[in-house]
Amino acid sequence: MTEHDLLGPRASGQSLGTGVLKAVADDFQVDEVLDIPLSGQGEHLWLWVEKRDLNTEEAARRLARAAGVPVRAISYAGLKDRQALTRQWFSLHLPGKADPDLSRAEDETLRVLKQVRHQRKLQRGAHSANGFTLRLTALAADHQALDARLELLKQQGVPNYFGTQRFGHGGGNVHDARDWAQRKALPEQRNVRSRLLSAARSYVFNQVLAARVADGSWQHAQVGDLLAFTDSRSFFPAGESECSDPRLAILDLHPTGPMWGEGPSPAAGAPFELESAVGEQHQALCQWLAHAGMSHERRILRLPIGSLSWHYPEPDILQLEFVLPAGCFATVVVRELVDLVPAGQTDSPCVF
């Protein structure tokens, strides 16, 4: 499956050129934003960890070994990229225990930058946002055109697609999900089941969003839409008055699309018809998700880009800095600018 199959059309025009992302890990930096005041006391030790070329799960295992606790005693808010320089929080449950010596977990790929006690463990999804610093190298694109495109993205945001990372190499997770859906069965392994269900829901959402990007309605509320604020998981129906809410214009309020689950879409009118049509097109996957007991949730269609800034350290390097809500993909921002190519190649776009 190609990138276009998995995501859908760009919203702001054709690619402006090519560039390389992640030529080295430091070209993709992520800082978790966690708005939780830590008390300094309690049976949970919270760790602010910097990792490079290391995935979150392996970092958790190393911290557990160094602390002498089972992996189930380690918690984290979200998974971060392996091929990147990331800083994120972990928590260790240490009832009645002193702070352990974690130096054995540290090397050039992992450093513990801070540790603070707290009464509660870190919950999945507890972070409010992620801050990104990205460097596009081997850039082959006109700076003036990039500047104009970035100004547009600052004003209108980008389609909130799930990035291709969610779907595995070549969309393999979607292929596997379809196989299980055709058999009307679920994988026994919990991690495999979770990965494939997530990929299936994300794929169906992207198909709905792709249709609304194609017809131009992804930025605009329609009667029957379900609206949500950027940082909220709750939603409410749009009538005539809600469709002209000024908070839509300032990228605070957005139309949403379905994270498919049991029951019909709670949307109405034209949005319901579009979502139902996509559901019929991918009926096996949607029925499989309902059979798995997934509840119907919503995700904003439009992704506002917070604190977006950029500069060119060298003529062929573009450095971007911005903040996105948790669960959103930095690569969909880059996708609205250029095609990504593998390091060492600048003549053909790659799937990322």
Side-chain angles (χ1 to χ4, degrees):
M1 302 178 77
T2 67
E3 180 189 79
H4 186 82
D5 295 330
L6 294 168
L7 273 68
R10 291 181 173 92
S12 49
Q14 295 298 312
S15 166
L16 299 175
T18 60
V20 174
L21 183 60
K22 298 188 181 183
V24 297
D26 289 31
D27 288 344
F28 195 102
Q29 299 188 31
V30 188
D31 286 270
E32 202 168 67
V33 179
L34 193 71
D35 299 325
I36 298 176
L38 301 179
S39 65
Q41 57 187 3
E43 60 185 36
H44 298 273
L45 180 63
W46 288 45
L47 307 172
W48 180 235
V49 173
E50 179 181 88
K51 61 182 188 62
R52 178 186 279 105
D53 284 323
L54 187 69
N55 69 38
T56 299
E57 292 159 326
E58 177 56 27
R61 286 191 289 269
R62 284 172 51 175
L63 292 168
R65 285 195 298 268
V69 299
V71 174
R72 65 177 179 274
I74 308 286
S75 301
Y76 45 85
L79 297 172
K80 297 293 183 286
D81 296 72
R82 181 191 66 79
Q83 191 183 349
L85 173 62
T86 68
R87 286 167 285 269
Q88 69 177 114
W89 285 99
F90 293 80
S91 73
L92 285 71
H93 190 205
L94 301 169
K97 297 181 180 180
D99 291 1
D101 178 7
L102 298 172
S103 60
R104 289 186 300 160
E106 296 184 291
D107 59 15
E108 68 278 2
T109 66
L110 187 150
R111 290 194 304 145
V112 178
L113 303 179
K114 184 194 302 185
Q115 51 188 62
V116 185
R117 286 278 181 163
H118 193 52
Q119 293 96 334
R120 297 180 178 179
K121 78 172 187 178
L122 177 58
Q123 301 286 343
R124 291 296 292 268
H127 59 308
S128 60
N130 290 301
F132 294 91
T133 301
L134 308 185
R135 286 167 65 92
L136 286 168
T137 57
L139 182 69
D142 178 74
H143 289 191
Q144 188 172 2
L146 284 169
D147 292 343
R149 178 70 57 85
L150 284 160
E151 289 291 350
L152 177 64
L153 301 188
K154 185 185 290 190
Q155 296 169 17
Q156 72 173 23
V158 299
N160 192 21
Y161 290 120
F162 286 95
T164 53
Q165 307 96 304
R166 175 60 58 93
F167 307 112
H169 180 70
N173 291 339
V174 178
H175 289 298
D176 291 346
R178 283 175 170 162
D179 287 343
W180 284 99
Q182 291 296 334
R183 286 183 274 164
K184 299 182 179 179
L186 291 167
E188 292 184 6
Q189 290 180 282
R190 182 178 178 181
N191 63 327
V192 175
R193 182 169 66 250
S194 176
R195 171 167 53 85
L196 298 187
L197 288 170
S198 177
R201 291 181 100 192
S202 302
Y203 177 71
V204 174
F205 172 87
N206 275 8
Q207 299 307 299
V208 171
L209 177 52
R212 293 195 61 159
V213 171
D215 70 17
S217 68
W218 69 283
Q219 289 181 297
H220 308 292
Q222 301 174 322
V223 174
D225 256 325
L226 298 164
L227 306 181
F229 292 99
T230 302
D231 298 319
S232 175
R233 295 183 180 180
S234 61
F235 53 86
F236 58 93
E240 292 285 354
S241 60
E242 286 80 10
C243 289
S244 57
D245 192 311
R247 291 171 293 186
L248 288 161
I250 61 172
L251 308 188
D252 189 29
L253 184 64
H254 315 275
T256 65
M259 297 296 290
W260 213 275
E262 293 181 295
S265 166
F272 173 80
E273 292 176 6
L274 185 150
E275 292 176 19
S276 298
V278 172
E280 285 294 322
Q281 186 178 355
H282 303 284
Q283 186 177 56
L285 280 181
C286 292
Q287 290 179 346
W288 185 62
L289 289 166
H291 173 72
M294 306 294 285
S295 59
H296 189 103
E297 299 173 348
R298 306 294 293 185
R299 175 181 170 93
I300 57 176
L301 296 178
R302 181 175 59 178
L303 176 57
I305 309 170
S307 304
L308 175 61
S309 64
W310 65 92
H311 68 283
Y312 302 90
E314 301 289 344
D316 64 344
I317 297 175
L318 169 62
Q319 180 162 317
L320 301 164
E321 297 182 10
F322 53 88
V323 177
L324 298 180
C328 299
F329 289 76
T331 48
V332 303
V333 177
V334 176
R335 182 175 183 260
E336 292 290 326
L337 301 173
V338 297
D339 290 316
L340 294 178
V341 299
Q345 298 180 25
T346 56
D347 57 351
S348 60
C350 71
V351 175
F352 182 82

